[in-house]
Every structure is written in C-alpha cells, then in structure tokens.
C-alpha cells in the first residue's frame, strides 16, 4: 500500500535525520492488534509504503507522522520515501497481542509468581517461575484468553511436585450359617418310604438320610428308631452351624508427578472371550483384585488436590456364565471415585462399602412339608448370612529424591543368613546382625527347638519354642 502526502514538502534531508522519536528503537515498531500507534519522524517525507496491508494499515497525519493500525498478528515492513522516490527509512512493523495488558493481569491474579511475557512468531511465551502447579495453570489459562492455542509455557515450578500416596485396604468378611436336614424311613409289609438325599448305614443297612442343601458334610448326625412292631420308622437329623471371619489387608505406596496418574493392581487376570468377527473368537484378559488409580495436583502452601479411584474385586462363581464350552466367571466389584484436598501427611478414610447377603433356602416334600409341626419332619432348611466391610485409608505426602550417594534401606539390610547349626537345630533361616554379633554356640541350645510365627505382634517374629 502506498500513501503519499497531499501537501508539498521541503527539500530532501539526509537519511540519518529520520528516526522514530517516541516509540522503540530505530527500525522496529510494535503495534497491538486492533489498536494504533503513531510513528513520528524528525524530518518531512513524501510517501510511505506498507509491505502487507492485511497485517497493518497506515495513514499519514502530517509530513512528519504516520498513523499505523494493527489488523492481524504478524510482521511486515514500512518504507518511508522522499520526493525523489529515495528510501529514507525502513521500519519493521510487528503486530502483537496485548502483552502489557497480559502482564498486568498476571500480576493481579498470580502475585506470588515471577512470570515473564514475550512474543515470538505470532505467539506468546511465558517464562520465569511460579510457586506451584496451580499458579502455573492459572497463568496459562489467562494467556490463552489473549492468544488461543498459541501459548508456549517454559516457566518452572519452584515447590516439590512429586507425591507419594500411602494407601491401606482393610477388608473384614464375616459369615454365619445354619443348616438342618431331616430325613425319615418308614418300612412295613405294605409301606416303604424314604426321604433324604445322602446315604448312611443304619443297623447294617444302607438307607437314604437327611441331606443338607449346601452339600456340606454335616457336623453331627442323629439317627433314631421310633417303632419296632412290624413297622420300622427311622428318623435321621443332620445339623451344621458355621461361623467365619476373614481379614484382608493391602498397603501399596505409589509415587507420581503432580498432574500425572499412577495406578496399582494386586490381583490377577482371567481370560475373557470376545467375538473377533471373521477371525473367530479372540481372548482378552480382565483384571481383578485390589486396584488403585490416583492423580495428585500440588496446590499452594503444601495443599494437595487428590483424585482417587480405589477398587476391590474378586471372582464370583455364582454369577458365572457358560458360552459354548467356555465358562466365564463373574466379578464382585466395589469401586469408589472421589476428589479431596489434603495437606502433606493428612489422611482420610473411605468407609461404608458394606456388602450384606441374607439367604434362606428350604427343601421339602410337597404338601407334607406344609403340615404344622409334623411338616418339620419332611423338610430341610438352610440359613446363611455374609457381610463384608471395606475401609480405605489414604495419606498423601510430598517427597523429594534421595541425595546422590545416599543408600536406600531394604528389608534385608539388618539380617544375615544363619549358620548350619542355628538353621537345623533352631529352625532359623536368618538372624538380626545388629543383635547377634557372634555365632551360635552348641552349649546355648537347651530344650526342644522349632520355630513359630507370632501373629500377635507387628510382622513376623521367629524364635525358639520349648
């Protein structure tokens, strides 16, 4: 674009008389997009030429000033000519985002950071340093408002950004069941009746006896002969009561960077058939066991934003299905997903993941089993109750790597293998090298020896038994 002055102009001046009076260094000029600036010259000019009018537009104000309007992000050149069409000066015009306004917004919203802002190739570069990842994320979000998808972040984060998560999975499973199976046999010259489903020997004869619905071997069996006068009536009662308590504990520790996701699985995988179309059936593997995935974000002042997804699953034969000749087991899954904010070393618990099953089954002879009182002799019953309670305790910690040259402890640092005499006579596979500096003498071995695991104490304790 060429713009010339309508008024006359004086004699041409030497080229070194022309420079930018108020704005930037000689030869360069910055304009904010959609805003304008004025170039002031020290002498008159006759004509101004802009390289790319799509990036910037110009308008002469006087014979010593030029009005420049930024239209699009980019750079172009501006040539200033005298009356003889000789170039007096060439300016590099760069149309940028509003960097000064961005700096002001960053100082207002991220006061603790020392963020630098610069422009490069139509984009914005953020440098300097910030105290934490949240401040950095906020700074990038603000810069995106000025230059969408054109922000380059090279700022550094000053605080520790590695998070270790200590997790405890505690599961208590309680079961209780009662079963009562009643069977009978009545024999005479005209009647021969048996009820029950398990075989037993009574008075040298094999007869059907009461069956438990679960098929479990009964704890006790009562066989009574009621009549013996031409007619024989045998009553068989089987009863079983069981109670159980199981505890399961897993304590995984995971370390990851702030903003990244870490996962853990203690369990296994089982094959799962998938329709492969023309390729037939393919096999995939499904995971089960104790699993954990978490994503930490380090905030200011040691605060940690934590998104955690724990899961406990196990195979369940009761929900299995059979496809063709392939049996596919089902899964019992307990899963939670939550987001919390904790400080370094604080803990929280996820509780109430309670599973309760209450089952009553009954097997009886038609009609006879419904007779009041006497119907008890013609039916078997089973009652079972299962309860499982899961508690998850989570503790995040900010961690730093070990200094170079430092040794990390392992569970075997304080133990050494035992000598043959101690191994064969005391049953000890290892000993504490801090407490036992000498080898075991045969004279110290008195009494009968073996080894035990003391489950009442924390960890395993091996020691002699007498």
């Amino acid at each position: 674009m060429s713009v010339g002055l309508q008024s006359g102009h004086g004699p041409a001046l030497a080229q070194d008389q022309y420079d930018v009076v108020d704005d930037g260094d000689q030869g360069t000029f910055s304009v904010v997009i959609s805003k304008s600036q004025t170039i002031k010259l020290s002498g008159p000019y006759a004509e101004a030429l802009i390289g790319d009018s799509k990036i910037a537009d110009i308008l002469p104000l006087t014979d010593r000033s030029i009005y420049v309007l930024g239209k699009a992000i980019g750079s172009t050149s501006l040539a200033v000519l005298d009356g003889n069409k000789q170039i007096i000066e060439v300016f590099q015009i760069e149309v940028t985002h509003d960097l000064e306004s961005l700096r002001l917004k960053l100082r207002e919203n991220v006061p603790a950071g020392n963020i630098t802002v610069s422009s490069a190739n139509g984009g914005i570069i953020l440098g300097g340093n910030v105290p934490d990842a949240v401040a950095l994320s906020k700074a990038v979000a603000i810069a995106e408002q000025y230059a969408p998808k054109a922000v380059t972040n090279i700022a550094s984060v000053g605080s520790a950004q590695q998070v270790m998560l200590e997790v405890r999975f505690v599961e208590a499973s309680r079961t209780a069941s009662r079963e009562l199976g009643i069977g009978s046999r009545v024999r005479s010259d005209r009647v021969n009746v048996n009820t029950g489903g398990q075989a037993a020997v009574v008075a040298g004869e094999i007869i059907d006896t009461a069956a438990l619905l679960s098929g479990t071997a009964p704890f006790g069996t009562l066989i009574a002969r009621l009549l013996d006068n031409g007619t024989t009536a045998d009553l068989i009662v089987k009863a079983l009561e069981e109670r159980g308590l199981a505890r399961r504990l897993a304590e995984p520790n995971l370390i990851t960077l702030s903003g990244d996701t870490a996962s853990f699985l203690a369990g296994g995988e089982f094959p799962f058939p998938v329709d492969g179309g023309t390729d037939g059936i393919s096999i995939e593997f499904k995971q089960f066991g104790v699993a954990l995935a978490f994503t930490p974000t380090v905030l200011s002042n040691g605060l940690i934003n934590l998104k955690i997804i724990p899961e406990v699953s196990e195979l369940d034969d009761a929900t299995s299905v059979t496809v063709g000749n392939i049996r596919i087991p089902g899964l019992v899954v307990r899963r939670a997903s939550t987001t919390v904010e904790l400080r370094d070393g604080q803990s929280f618990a996820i509780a109430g993941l309670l599973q309760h099953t209450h089952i009553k089954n009954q097997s009886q002879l038609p009609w006879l089993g419904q007779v009041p009182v006497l119907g008890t002799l013609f039916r078997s019953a089973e009652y079972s109750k299962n309860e499982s309670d899961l508690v998850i305790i989570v503790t995040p910690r900010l961690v730093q790597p070990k200094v170079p040259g430092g040794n990390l402890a392992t569970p075997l640092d304080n133990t050494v293998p035992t000598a043959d005499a101690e191994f064969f006579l005391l049953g000890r596979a290892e000993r504490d090298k801090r407490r036992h500096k000498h080898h075991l003498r045969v004279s110290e071995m008195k009494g009968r020896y073996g080894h035990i695991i003391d489950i009442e104490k924390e960890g395993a304790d091996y020691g002699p038994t007498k």
Side-chain angles (χ1 to χ4, degrees):
M1 178 178 181
S2 174
V3 178
L5 292 176
Q6 300 299 321
S7 59
H9 54 80
L13 301 177
Q15 184 172 341
D16 58 4
Q17 291 180 300
Y18 294 82
D19 57 3
V20 180
V21 176
D22 296 328
D23 301 281
D25 298 332
Q26 183 176 1
T28 60
F29 195 80
S30 296
V31 182
V32 176
I33 186 173
S34 301
K35 294 186 179 181
S36 63
Q37 293 285 352
T38 301
I39 297 178
K40 295 181 180 180
L41 305 174
S42 59
Y45 71 97
E47 191 175 3
L49 303 175
I50 189 72
D52 190 347
S53 59
K54 294 180 180 180
I55 294 178
D57 202 357
I58 59 173
L59 179 67
L61 297 178
T62 67
D63 63 346
R64 296 174 182 265
S65 61
I66 302 174
Y67 178 88
V68 181
L69 174 65
K71 298 174 66 177
I73 299 296
S75 62
T76 185
S77 60
L78 171 64
V80 180
L81 311 178
D82 61 12
N84 297 324
K85 302 295 183 178
Q86 299 294 320
I87 296 177
I88 299 172
E89 184 67 77
V90 176
F91 298 97
Q92 292 297 323
I93 305 297
E94 183 179 7
V95 181
T96 66
H97 300 281
D98 194 349
L99 302 183
E100 191 58 37
S101 175
L102 174 58
R103 293 187 185 99
L104 179 61
K105 290 296 183 182
L106 292 177
R107 285 194 295 268
E108 292 177 353
N109 295 277
V110 192
N114 182 20
I115 304 176
T116 62
V117 180
S118 59
S119 177
N121 196 27
I124 293 177
I125 299 177
L126 298 181
N129 57 78
V130 290
D132 50 62
V134 176
L136 181 59
S137 177
K138 186 184 296 184
V140 173
I142 294 174
E144 286 283 350
Q145 299 300 315
Y146 288 80
K149 299 182 180 180
V151 177
T152 302
N153 171 38
I154 60 173
S156 59
V157 180
S159 60
Q161 295 296 297
Q162 293 186 120
V163 180
M164 181 179 72
L165 195 68
E166 299 176 355
V167 185
R168 298 183 66 198
F169 290 86
V170 182
E171 183 182 20
S173 178
R174 294 172 291 272
T175 61
S177 64
R178 295 188 184 95
E179 294 185 72
L180 181 64
I182 298 179
S184 60
R185 185 192 70 162
V186 179
R187 285 188 179 183
S188 65
D189 295 338
R190 298 181 179 181
V191 178
N192 189 350
V193 178
N194 287 321
T195 64
Q198 293 179 346
V201 179
V202 179
E205 299 181 38
I206 299 178
I207 63 173
D208 289 336
T209 65
L212 297 182
L213 298 182
S214 65
T216 307
F219 179 76
T221 301
L222 173 64
I223 301 176
R225 176 154 291 183
L226 303 179
L227 302 174
D228 193 3
N229 188 16
T231 299
T232 301
D234 296 320
L235 179 66
I236 304 96
V237 179
K238 290 189 175 182
L240 175 66
E241 181 174 355
E242 292 182 336
R243 296 179 182 271
L245 173 64
R247 295 186 296 177
R248 179 167 58 173
L249 177 66
E251 297 187 7
N253 291 339
L254 300 177
I255 299 178
T256 187
L257 293 176
S258 175
D260 290 344
T261 300
S263 59
F264 163 87
L265 173 66
E269 296 181 340
F270 66 93
F272 186 84
V274 178
D275 186 7
T278 57
D279 297 333
I281 297 179
S282 60
I283 299 297
E284 294 183 359
F285 286 86
K286 301 292 184 179
Q287 297 179 344
F288 68 94
V290 179
L292 172 70
F294 83 104
T295 305
T297 302
V298 180
L299 309 179
S300 58
N301 300 322
L303 195 63
I304 303 173
N305 179 280
L306 188 65
K307 181 179 181 181
I308 180 171
I309 305 177
E311 177 182 310
V312 175
S313 59
E314 58 185 344
L315 299 179
D316 183 18
D317 292 334
T319 58
S320 63
V321 296
T322 302
V323 179
N325 296 324
I326 303 175
R327 179 178 171 274
I328 306 172
L331 285 177
V332 176
V333 180
R334 276 167 293 174
R335 182 187 299 115
S337 178
T338 185
T339 302
V340 296
E341 289 186 357
L342 300 172
R343 296 196 179 275
D344 182 12
Q346 291 182 332
S347 301
F348 80 98
I350 302 176
L353 299 176
L354 179 65
Q355 185 180 33
H356 180 87
T357 305
H358 191 174
I359 301 174
K360 288 185 177 180
N361 293 324
Q362 184 171 283
S363 179
Q364 64 182 23
L365 285 176
W367 304 295
L368 295 179
Q370 298 177 357
V371 177
V373 183
L374 293 179
T376 305
L377 302 177
F378 300 96
R379 63 173 176 255
S380 297
E382 175 192 11
Y383 161 81
S384 63
K385 182 174 68 173
N386 300 320
E387 289 184 355
S388 181
D389 193 7
L390 178 64
V391 178
I392 304 169
I393 303 173
V394 179
T395 305
R397 298 186 185 276
L398 295 176
V399 295
Q400 294 285 355
K402 189 74 173 179
V403 296
N407 294 324
L408 296 177
T410 68
L412 300 178
D413 285 351
N414 296 321
T415 59
V416 294
T418 56
D420 290 346
E422 192 172 1
F423 173 69
F424 288 107
L425 297 179
L426 293 183
R428 294 180 181 174
E430 59 185 12
R431 59 182 173 86
D432 192 335
K433 64 182 179 182
R434 296 171 299 180
R435 293 183 297 176
H436 303 281
K437 299 296 184 181
H438 61 280
H439 292 287
L440 182 67
R441 295 189 296 270
V442 178
S443 59
E444 296 177 349
M445 305 178 190
K446 298 180 180 179
R448 293 176 290 108
Y449 291 89
H451 64 276
I452 61 173
I453 299 179
D454 189 353
I455 61 175
E456 298 298 328
K457 298 180 181 180
E458 184 177 356
D461 182 23
Y462 290 83
T465 59
K466 296 183 179 180

